[in-house]
PDB file of all heavy atoms in Angstrom:
ATOM      1  N   THR A   1       0.801  -1.181   0.009  1.00  0.00           N
ATOM      2  CA  THR A   1       0.093  -0.099  -0.019  1.00  0.00           C
ATOM      3  C   THR A   1       0.822   1.188   0.056  1.00  0.00           C
ATOM      4  O   THR A   1       0.537   2.178  -0.679  1.00  0.00           O
ATOM      5  CB  THR A   1      -0.992   0.060   1.190  1.00  0.00           C
ATOM      6  OG1 THR A   1      -1.769  -1.200   1.170  1.00  0.00           O
ATOM      7  CG2 THR A   1      -1.830   1.266   1.279  1.00  0.00           C
ATOM      8  N   GLN A   2       1.970   1.260   0.768  1.00  0.00           N
ATOM      9  CA  GLN A   2       2.817   2.441   0.812  1.00  0.00           C
ATOM     10  C   GLN A   2       3.530   2.663  -0.473  1.00  0.00           C
ATOM     11  O   GLN A   2       3.731   3.716  -0.916  1.00  0.00           O
ATOM     12  CB  GLN A   2       3.824   2.232   1.992  1.00  0.00           C
ATOM     13  CG  GLN A   2       3.339   2.200   3.322  1.00  0.00           C
ATOM     14  CD  GLN A   2       4.221   1.620   4.468  1.00  0.00           C
ATOM     15  OE1 GLN A   2       5.192   1.026   4.146  1.00  0.00           O
ATOM     16  NE2 GLN A   2       3.918   1.816   5.775  1.00  0.00           N
ATOM     17  N   LEU A   3       3.958   1.607  -1.101  1.00  0.00           N
ATOM     18  CA  LEU A   3       4.674   1.710  -2.457  1.00  0.00           C
ATOM     19  C   LEU A   3       3.690   2.399  -3.415  1.00  0.00           C
ATOM     20  O   LEU A   3       4.096   3.244  -4.198  1.00  0.00           O
ATOM     21  CB  LEU A   3       5.118   0.365  -2.968  1.00  0.00           C
ATOM     22  CG  LEU A   3       6.312  -0.280  -2.247  1.00  0.00           C
ATOM     23  CD1 LEU A   3       6.326  -1.803  -2.638  1.00  0.00           C
ATOM     24  CD2 LEU A   3       7.467   0.412  -2.721  1.00  0.00           C
ATOM     25  N   LYS A   4       2.409   1.990  -3.422  1.00  0.00           N
ATOM     26  CA  LYS A   4       1.478   2.586  -4.348  1.00  0.00           C
ATOM     27  C   LYS A   4       1.082   3.986  -4.081  1.00  0.00           C
ATOM     28  O   LYS A   4       0.914   4.845  -4.891  1.00  0.00           O
ATOM     29  CB  LYS A   4       0.208   1.656  -4.414  1.00  0.00           C
ATOM     30  CG  LYS A   4       0.392   0.322  -4.955  1.00  0.00           C
ATOM     31  CD  LYS A   4      -0.837  -0.475  -5.076  1.00  0.00           C
ATOM     32  CE  LYS A   4      -1.513  -0.735  -3.813  1.00  0.00           C
ATOM     33  NZ  LYS A   4      -2.824  -1.431  -3.983  1.00  0.00           N
ATOM     34  N   GLU A   5       1.000   4.254  -2.711  1.00  0.00           N
ATOM     35  CA  GLU A   5       0.502   5.649  -2.347  1.00  0.00           C
ATOM     36  C   GLU A   5       1.661   6.687  -2.417  1.00  0.00           C
ATOM     37  O   GLU A   5       1.297   7.810  -2.373  1.00  0.00           O
ATOM     38  CB  GLU A   5      -0.052   5.507  -0.902  1.00  0.00           C
ATOM     39  CG  GLU A   5      -1.357   4.744  -0.934  1.00  0.00           C
ATOM     40  CD  GLU A   5      -1.899   4.758   0.597  1.00  0.00           C
ATOM     41  OE1 GLU A   5      -1.202   5.134   1.476  1.00  0.00           O
ATOM     42  OE2 GLU A   5      -3.153   4.343   0.715  1.00  0.00           O
ATOM     43  N   HIS A   6       2.918   6.255  -2.495  1.00  0.00           N
ATOM     44  CA  HIS A   6       3.961   7.082  -2.527  1.00  0.00           C
ATOM     45  C   HIS A   6       4.931   6.850  -3.728  1.00  0.00           C
ATOM     46  O   HIS A   6       6.068   6.467  -3.447  1.00  0.00           O
ATOM     47  CB  HIS A   6       4.737   7.085  -1.155  1.00  0.00           C
ATOM     48  CG  HIS A   6       3.890   7.300   0.061  1.00  0.00           C
ATOM     49  ND1 HIS A   6       3.576   8.534   0.359  1.00  0.00           N
ATOM     50  CD2 HIS A   6       3.244   6.464   0.810  1.00  0.00           C
ATOM     51  CE1 HIS A   6       2.861   8.519   1.534  1.00  0.00           C
ATOM     52  NE2 HIS A   6       2.582   7.239   1.836  1.00  0.00           N
ATOM     53  N   PRO A   7       4.470   7.132  -4.888  1.00  0.00           N
ATOM     54  CA  PRO A   7       5.270   6.954  -6.038  1.00  0.00           C
ATOM     55  C   PRO A   7       6.399   7.810  -6.184  1.00  0.00           C
ATOM     56  O   PRO A   7       7.411   7.576  -7.037  1.00  0.00           O
ATOM     57  CB  PRO A   7       4.360   6.891  -7.203  1.00  0.00           C
ATOM     58  CG  PRO A   7       3.274   7.952  -6.808  1.00  0.00           C
ATOM     59  CD  PRO A   7       3.097   7.669  -5.297  1.00  0.00           C
ATOM     60  N   ASN A   8       6.346   9.020  -5.530  1.00  0.00           N
ATOM     61  CA  ASN A   8       7.390  10.076  -5.762  1.00  0.00           C
ATOM     62  C   ASN A   8       8.263  10.146  -4.322  1.00  0.00           C
ATOM     63  O   ASN A   8       7.789   9.601  -3.369  1.00  0.00           O
ATOM     64  CB  ASN A   8       6.718  11.400  -6.024  1.00  0.00           C
ATOM     65  CG  ASN A   8       5.834  11.355  -7.270  1.00  0.00           C
ATOM     66  OD1 ASN A   8       6.053  10.620  -8.211  1.00  0.00           O
ATOM     67  ND2 ASN A   8       4.790  12.082  -7.259  1.00  0.00           N
ATOM     68  N   TYR A   9       9.287  10.781  -4.433  1.00  0.00           N
ATOM     69  CA  TYR A   9      10.100  10.982  -3.273  1.00  0.00           C
ATOM     70  C   TYR A   9       9.581  12.086  -2.373  1.00  0.00           C
ATOM     71  O   TYR A   9      10.033  13.138  -2.279  1.00  0.00           O
ATOM     72  CB  TYR A   9      11.559  11.400  -3.721  1.00  0.00           C
ATOM     73  CG  TYR A   9      12.600  11.235  -2.708  1.00  0.00           C
ATOM     74  CD1 TYR A   9      12.677  10.038  -1.879  1.00  0.00           C
ATOM     75  CD2 TYR A   9      13.538  12.245  -2.306  1.00  0.00           C
ATOM     76  CE1 TYR A   9      13.619   9.995  -0.994  1.00  0.00           C
ATOM     77  CE2 TYR A   9      14.532  12.079  -1.460  1.00  0.00           C
ATOM     78  CZ  TYR A   9      14.585  10.888  -0.690  1.00  0.00           C
ATOM     79  OH  TYR A   9      15.535  10.755   0.276  1.00  0.00           O
ATOM     80  N   ASP A  10       8.526  11.785  -1.674  1.00  0.00           N
ATOM     81  CA  ASP A  10       7.820  12.662  -0.778  1.00  0.00           C
ATOM     82  C   ASP A  10       8.356  12.322   0.728  1.00  0.00           C
ATOM     83  O   ASP A  10       9.360  11.757   0.964  1.00  0.00           O
ATOM     84  CB  ASP A  10       6.381  12.383  -0.885  1.00  0.00           C
ATOM     85  CG  ASP A  10       5.875  10.948  -0.434  1.00  0.00           C
ATOM     86  OD1 ASP A  10       6.679  10.234   0.019  1.00  0.00           O
ATOM     87  OD2 ASP A  10       4.727  10.656  -0.718  1.00  0.00           O
ATOM     88  N   GLU A  11       7.667  13.088   1.548  1.00  0.00           N
ATOM     89  CA  GLU A  11       8.163  13.090   2.983  1.00  0.00           C
ATOM     90  C   GLU A  11       8.183  11.620   3.550  1.00  0.00           C
ATOM     91  O   GLU A  11       8.929  11.363   4.478  1.00  0.00           O
ATOM     92  CB  GLU A  11       7.330  14.009   3.768  1.00  0.00           C
ATOM     93  CG  GLU A  11       7.826  14.306   5.143  1.00  0.00           C
ATOM     94  CD  GLU A  11       9.199  14.760   5.295  1.00  0.00           C
ATOM     95  OE1 GLU A  11       9.600  15.510   4.346  1.00  0.00           O
ATOM     96  OE2 GLU A  11       9.900  14.460   6.140  1.00  0.00           O
ATOM     97  N   PHE A  12       7.239  10.803   3.111  1.00  0.00           N
ATOM     98  CA  PHE A  12       7.260   9.478   3.561  1.00  0.00           C
ATOM     99  C   PHE A  12       8.541   8.720   3.389  1.00  0.00           C
ATOM    100  O   PHE A  12       9.066   8.154   4.323  1.00  0.00           O
ATOM    101  CB  PHE A  12       6.100   8.691   2.875  1.00  0.00           C
ATOM    102  CG  PHE A  12       6.030   7.214   3.230  1.00  0.00           C
ATOM    103  CD1 PHE A  12       5.373   6.780   4.297  1.00  0.00           C
ATOM    104  CD2 PHE A  12       6.747   6.320   2.346  1.00  0.00           C
ATOM    105  CE1 PHE A  12       5.404   5.330   4.661  1.00  0.00           C
ATOM    106  CE2 PHE A  12       6.712   4.902   2.694  1.00  0.00           C
ATOM    107  CZ  PHE A  12       6.061   4.559   3.853  1.00  0.00           C
ATOM    108  N   TRP A  13       9.123   8.857   2.215  1.00  0.00           N
ATOM    109  CA  TRP A  13      10.485   8.225   1.868  1.00  0.00           C
ATOM    110  C   TRP A  13      11.485   9.011   2.512  1.00  0.00           C
ATOM    111  O   TRP A  13      12.539   8.602   3.062  1.00  0.00           O
ATOM    112  CB  TRP A  13      10.643   8.149   0.315  1.00  0.00           C
ATOM    113  CG  TRP A  13       9.697   7.174  -0.301  1.00  0.00           C
ATOM    114  CD1 TRP A  13       8.726   7.551  -1.171  1.00  0.00           C
ATOM    115  CD2 TRP A  13       9.522   5.762  -0.134  1.00  0.00           C
ATOM    116  NE1 TRP A  13       8.017   6.504  -1.573  1.00  0.00           N
ATOM    117  CE2 TRP A  13       8.394   5.333  -0.962  1.00  0.00           C
ATOM    118  CE3 TRP A  13      10.162   4.877   0.641  1.00  0.00           C
ATOM    119  CZ2 TRP A  13       8.112   3.980  -0.986  1.00  0.00           C
ATOM    120  CZ3 TRP A  13       9.735   3.507   0.617  1.00  0.00           C
ATOM    121  CH2 TRP A  13       8.825   3.125  -0.145  1.00  0.00           C
ATOM    122  N   LYS A  14      11.447  10.398   2.372  1.00  0.00           N
ATOM    123  CA  LYS A  14      12.580  11.227   2.921  1.00  0.00           C
ATOM    124  C   LYS A  14      12.788  10.981   4.341  1.00  0.00           C
ATOM    125  O   LYS A  14      13.916  10.908   4.764  1.00  0.00           O
ATOM    126  CB  LYS A  14      12.292  12.624   2.546  1.00  0.00           C
ATOM    127  CG  LYS A  14      12.360  13.093   1.181  1.00  0.00           C
ATOM    128  CD  LYS A  14      11.922  14.504   0.967  1.00  0.00           C
ATOM    129  CE  LYS A  14      11.929  14.904  -0.501  1.00  0.00           C
ATOM    130  NZ  LYS A  14      11.517  16.378  -0.592  1.00  0.00           N
ATOM    131  N   SER A  15      11.691  10.819   5.138  1.00  0.00           N
ATOM    132  CA  SER A  15      11.829  10.767   6.601  1.00  0.00           C
ATOM    133  C   SER A  15      12.427   9.305   6.956  1.00  0.00           C
ATOM    134  O   SER A  15      13.137   9.219   8.090  1.00  0.00           O
ATOM    135  CB  SER A  15      10.480  10.768   7.178  1.00  0.00           C
ATOM    136  OG  SER A  15       9.633   9.812   6.929  1.00  0.00           O
ATOM    137  N   ARG A  16      12.360   8.438   6.093  1.00  0.00           N
ATOM    138  CA  ARG A  16      12.801   7.056   6.358  1.00  0.00           C
ATOM    139  C   ARG A  16      14.321   6.834   5.859  1.00  0.00           C
ATOM    140  O   ARG A  16      14.854   5.790   6.326  1.00  0.00           O
ATOM    141  CB  ARG A  16      11.924   6.079   5.653  1.00  0.00           C
ATOM    142  CG  ARG A  16      10.716   5.781   6.507  1.00  0.00           C
ATOM    143  CD  ARG A  16       9.603   5.045   5.750  1.00  0.00           C
ATOM    144  NE  ARG A  16       8.581   4.491   6.573  1.00  0.00           N
ATOM    145  CZ  ARG A  16       7.657   5.346   7.190  1.00  0.00           C
ATOM    146  NH1 ARG A  16       7.735   6.644   7.055  1.00  0.00           N
ATOM    147  NH2 ARG A  16       6.790   4.795   7.968  1.00  0.00           N
ATOM    148  N   GLY A  17      14.825   7.774   5.206  1.00  0.00           N
ATOM    149  CA  GLY A  17      16.118   7.749   4.855  1.00  0.00           C
ATOM    150  C   GLY A  17      17.053   7.990   5.977  1.00  0.00           C
ATOM    151  O   GLY A  17      16.831   8.989   6.796  1.00  0.00           O
ATOM    152  N   ILE A  18      18.242   7.335   6.092  1.00  0.00           N
ATOM    153  CA  ILE A  18      19.078   7.488   7.209  1.00  0.00           C
ATOM    154  C   ILE A  18      20.315   8.361   6.905  1.00  0.00           C
ATOM    155  O   ILE A  18      20.894   9.056   7.725  1.00  0.00           O
ATOM    156  CB  ILE A  18      19.534   6.163   7.752  1.00  0.00           C
ATOM    157  CG1 ILE A  18      20.142   6.318   9.167  1.00  0.00           C
ATOM    158  CG2 ILE A  18      20.564   5.539   6.811  1.00  0.00           C
ATOM    159  CD1 ILE A  18      19.142   6.462  10.171  1.00  0.00           C
ATOM    160  N   ILE A  19      20.591   8.556   5.574  1.00  0.00           N
ATOM    161  CA  ILE A  19      21.819   9.137   5.137  1.00  0.00           C
ATOM    162  C   ILE A  19      21.941  10.616   5.707  1.00  0.00           C
ATOM    163  O   ILE A  19      22.913  11.182   6.104  1.00  0.00           O
ATOM    164  CB  ILE A  19      21.937   9.179   3.604  1.00  0.00           C
ATOM    165  CG1 ILE A  19      21.914   7.713   3.033  1.00  0.00           C
ATOM    166  CG2 ILE A  19      23.082   9.941   3.101  1.00  0.00           C
ATOM    167  CD1 ILE A  19      23.050   6.889   3.538  1.00  0.00           C
ATOM    168  N   GLN A  20      20.734  11.329   5.559  1.00  0.00           N
ATOM    169  CA  GLN A  20      20.766  12.766   5.897  1.00  0.00           C
ATOM    170  C   GLN A  20      21.040  13.110   7.406  1.00  0.00           C
ATOM    171  O   GLN A  20      21.275  14.148   7.673  1.00  0.00           O
ATOM    172  CB  GLN A  20      19.364  13.470   5.477  1.00  0.00           C
ATOM    173  CG  GLN A  20      18.214  12.996   6.292  1.00  0.00           C
ATOM    174  CD  GLN A  20      17.497  11.847   5.623  1.00  0.00           C
ATOM    175  OE1 GLN A  20      18.094  11.099   4.820  1.00  0.00           O
ATOM    176  NE2 GLN A  20      16.142  11.829   5.745  1.00  0.00           N
ATOM    177  N   HIS A  21      20.927  12.073   8.137  1.00  0.00           N
ATOM    178  CA  HIS A  21      21.155  12.165   9.582  1.00  0.00           C
ATOM    179  C   HIS A  21      22.585  12.018  10.002  1.00  0.00           C
ATOM    180  O   HIS A  21      22.914  12.019  11.190  1.00  0.00           O
ATOM    181  CB  HIS A  21      20.195  11.327  10.374  1.00  0.00           C
ATOM    182  CG  HIS A  21      18.838  11.716  10.165  1.00  0.00           C
ATOM    183  ND1 HIS A  21      18.247  12.940  10.528  1.00  0.00           N
ATOM    184  CD2 HIS A  21      17.762  10.995   9.589  1.00  0.00           C
ATOM    185  CE1 HIS A  21      16.920  12.851  10.170  1.00  0.00           C
ATOM    186  NE2 HIS A  21      16.742  11.684   9.545  1.00  0.00           N
ATOM    187  N   LEU A  22      23.495  11.511   9.128  1.00  0.00           N
ATOM    188  CA  LEU A  22      24.737  11.021   9.428  1.00  0.00           C
ATOM    189  C   LEU A  22      25.692  12.213   9.571  1.00  0.00           C
ATOM    190  O   LEU A  22      26.681  12.501   8.689  1.00  0.00           O
ATOM    191  CB  LEU A  22      25.316  10.087   8.413  1.00  0.00           C
ATOM    192  CG  LEU A  22      24.485   8.758   8.335  1.00  0.00           C
ATOM    193  CD1 LEU A  22      24.955   7.781   7.275  1.00  0.00           C
ATOM    194  CD2 LEU A  22      24.376   8.049   9.701  1.00  0.00           C
ATOM    195  N   GLU A  23      25.598  12.950  10.726  1.00  0.00           N
ATOM    196  CA  GLU A  23      26.616  14.031  10.957  1.00  0.00           C
ATOM    197  C   GLU A  23      27.037  13.993  12.379  1.00  0.00           C
ATOM    198  O   GLU A  23      26.286  13.499  13.286  1.00  0.00           O
ATOM    199  CB  GLU A  23      25.915  15.348  10.623  1.00  0.00           C
ATOM    200  CG  GLU A  23      24.663  15.727  11.369  1.00  0.00           C
ATOM    201  CD  GLU A  23      23.975  16.893  11.013  1.00  0.00           C
ATOM    202  OE1 GLU A  23      24.629  17.662  10.111  1.00  0.00           O
ATOM    203  OE2 GLU A  23      22.840  17.326  11.431  1.00  0.00           O
ATOM    204  N   ASN A  24      28.171  14.547  12.695  1.00  0.00           N
ATOM    205  CA  ASN A  24      28.738  14.533  14.044  1.00  0.00           C
ATOM    206  C   ASN A  24      28.789  13.181  14.728  1.00  0.00           C
ATOM    207  O   ASN A  24      28.487  12.941  15.897  1.00  0.00           O
ATOM    208  CB  ASN A  24      27.849  15.534  14.966  1.00  0.00           C
ATOM    209  CG  ASN A  24      27.991  16.963  14.471  1.00  0.00           C
ATOM    210  OD1 ASN A  24      28.968  17.391  13.994  1.00  0.00           O
ATOM    211  ND2 ASN A  24      26.819  17.638  14.470  1.00  0.00           N
ATOM    212  N   ILE A  25      29.133  12.159  13.944  1.00  0.00           N
ATOM    213  CA  ILE A  25      29.184  10.803  14.355  1.00  0.00           C
ATOM    214  C   ILE A  25      30.532  10.576  15.178  1.00  0.00           C
ATOM    215  O   ILE A  25      31.562  11.087  14.711  1.00  0.00           O
ATOM    216  CB  ILE A  25      29.199   9.812  13.136  1.00  0.00           C
ATOM    217  CG1 ILE A  25      27.943   9.990  12.310  1.00  0.00           C
ATOM    218  CG2 ILE A  25      29.477   8.378  13.687  1.00  0.00           C
ATOM    219  CD1 ILE A  25      26.642   9.789  13.092  1.00  0.00           C
ATOM    220  N   GLU A  26      30.480   9.956  16.241  1.00  0.00           N
ATOM    221  CA  GLU A  26      31.635   9.733  17.110  1.00  0.00           C
ATOM    222  C   GLU A  26      32.213   8.390  17.112  1.00  0.00           C
ATOM    223  O   GLU A  26      33.410   8.257  17.165  1.00  0.00           O
ATOM    224  CB  GLU A  26      31.217  10.152  18.618  1.00  0.00           C
ATOM    225  CG  GLU A  26      30.885  11.660  18.693  1.00  0.00           C
ATOM    226  CD  GLU A  26      30.663  12.156  20.196  1.00  0.00           C
ATOM    227  OE1 GLU A  26      30.793  11.251  21.068  1.00  0.00           O
ATOM    228  OE2 GLU A  26      30.395  13.326  20.261  1.00  0.00           O
ATOM    229  N   PRO A  27      31.412   7.343  17.130  1.00  0.00           N
ATOM    230  CA  PRO A  27      32.089   5.912  17.022  1.00  0.00           C
ATOM    231  C   PRO A  27      32.872   5.810  15.758  1.00  0.00           C
ATOM    232  O   PRO A  27      32.666   6.418  14.767  1.00  0.00           O
ATOM    233  CB  PRO A  27      30.880   4.990  17.160  1.00  0.00           C
ATOM    234  CG  PRO A  27      29.712   5.851  17.714  1.00  0.00           C
ATOM    235  CD  PRO A  27      29.982   7.149  17.185  1.00  0.00           C
ATOM    236  N   ALA A  28      33.909   4.866  15.876  1.00  0.00           N
ATOM    237  CA  ALA A  28      34.558   4.529  14.598  1.00  0.00           C
ATOM    238  C   ALA A  28      33.697   3.799  13.684  1.00  0.00           C
ATOM    239  O   ALA A  28      32.861   2.931  14.139  1.00  0.00           O
ATOM    240  CB  ALA A  28      35.798   3.643  15.038  1.00  0.00           C
ATOM    241  N   VAL A  29      33.829   3.916  12.415  1.00  0.00           N
ATOM    242  CA  VAL A  29      32.944   3.309  11.375  1.00  0.00           C
ATOM    243  C   VAL A  29      33.741   2.642  10.247  1.00  0.00           C
ATOM    244  O   VAL A  29      34.759   3.338   9.813  1.00  0.00           O
ATOM    245  CB  VAL A  29      31.960   4.289  10.780  1.00  0.00           C
ATOM    246  CG1 VAL A  29      31.025   3.608   9.870  1.00  0.00           C
ATOM    247  CG2 VAL A  29      31.133   5.043  11.931  1.00  0.00           C
ATOM    248  N   MET A  30      33.434   1.451   9.969  1.00  0.00           N
ATOM    249  CA  MET A  30      34.013   0.828   8.851  1.00  0.00           C
ATOM    250  C   MET A  30      32.846   0.380   7.984  1.00  0.00           C
ATOM    251  O   MET A  30      32.098  -0.676   8.294  1.00  0.00           O
ATOM    252  CB  MET A  30      34.895  -0.387   9.206  1.00  0.00           C
ATOM    253  CG  MET A  30      35.417  -1.062   7.916  1.00  0.00           C
ATOM    254  SD  MET A  30      36.501  -2.397   8.277  1.00  0.00           S
ATOM    255  CE  MET A  30      35.418  -3.606   8.877  1.00  0.00           C
ATOM    256  N   THR A  31      32.574   1.080   6.920  1.00  0.00           N
ATOM    257  CA  THR A  31      31.391   0.719   5.965  1.00  0.00           C
ATOM    258  C   THR A  31      31.945  -0.358   4.958  1.00  0.00           C
ATOM    259  O   THR A  31      33.052  -0.194   4.335  1.00  0.00           O
ATOM    260  CB  THR A  31      30.865   1.909   5.215  1.00  0.00           C
ATOM    261  OG1 THR A  31      30.534   2.912   6.159  1.00  0.00           O
ATOM    262  CG2 THR A  31      29.737   1.643   4.410  1.00  0.00           C
ATOM    263  N   VAL A  32      31.222  -1.314   4.652  1.00  0.00           N
ATOM    264  CA  VAL A  32      31.635  -2.476   3.802  1.00  0.00           C
ATOM    265  C   VAL A  32      30.618  -2.643   2.679  1.00  0.00           C
ATOM    266  O   VAL A  32      29.436  -2.579   2.973  1.00  0.00           O
ATOM    267  CB  VAL A  32      31.821  -3.698   4.604  1.00  0.00           C
ATOM    268  CG1 VAL A  32      32.293  -4.966   3.647  1.00  0.00           C
ATOM    269  CG2 VAL A  32      32.839  -3.590   5.703  1.00  0.00           C
ATOM    270  N   GLY A  33      30.990  -2.898   1.563  1.00  0.00           N
ATOM    271  CA  GLY A  33      30.143  -3.281   0.410  1.00  0.00           C
ATOM    272  C   GLY A  33      30.730  -4.134  -0.631  1.00  0.00           C
ATOM    273  O   GLY A  33      31.925  -4.326  -0.655  1.00  0.00           O
ATOM    274  N   GLY A  34      29.937  -4.606  -1.575  1.00  0.00           N
ATOM    275  CA  GLY A  34      30.353  -5.363  -2.742  1.00  0.00           C
ATOM    276  C   GLY A  34      30.137  -4.523  -4.056  1.00  0.00           C
ATOM    277  O   GLY A  34      29.142  -3.936  -4.233  1.00  0.00           O
TER     278      GLY A  34
END
């Protein structure tokens, strides 16, 4: 239902993104990907 009701990048999707909150991070971080 959410996929159908939010076809555009509206506040529903924006609020669920974590990237925009990644500032003033203190722990050590090792990001891994393929």
Side-chain angles (χ1 to χ4, degrees):
T1 301
Q2 291 163 349
L3 286 165
K4 294 188 297 179
E5 291 180 349
H6 302 279
N8 306 326
Y9 195 49
D10 58 13
E11 189 57 33
F12 175 83
W13 296 114
K14 291 177 182 178
S15 67
R16 281 161 167 72
I18 198 74
I19 301 298
Q20 65 266 32
H21 299 296
L22 298 178
E23 58 184 357
N24 301 320
I25 301 301
E26 295 185 3
V29 181
M30 181 178 70
T31 305
V32 181

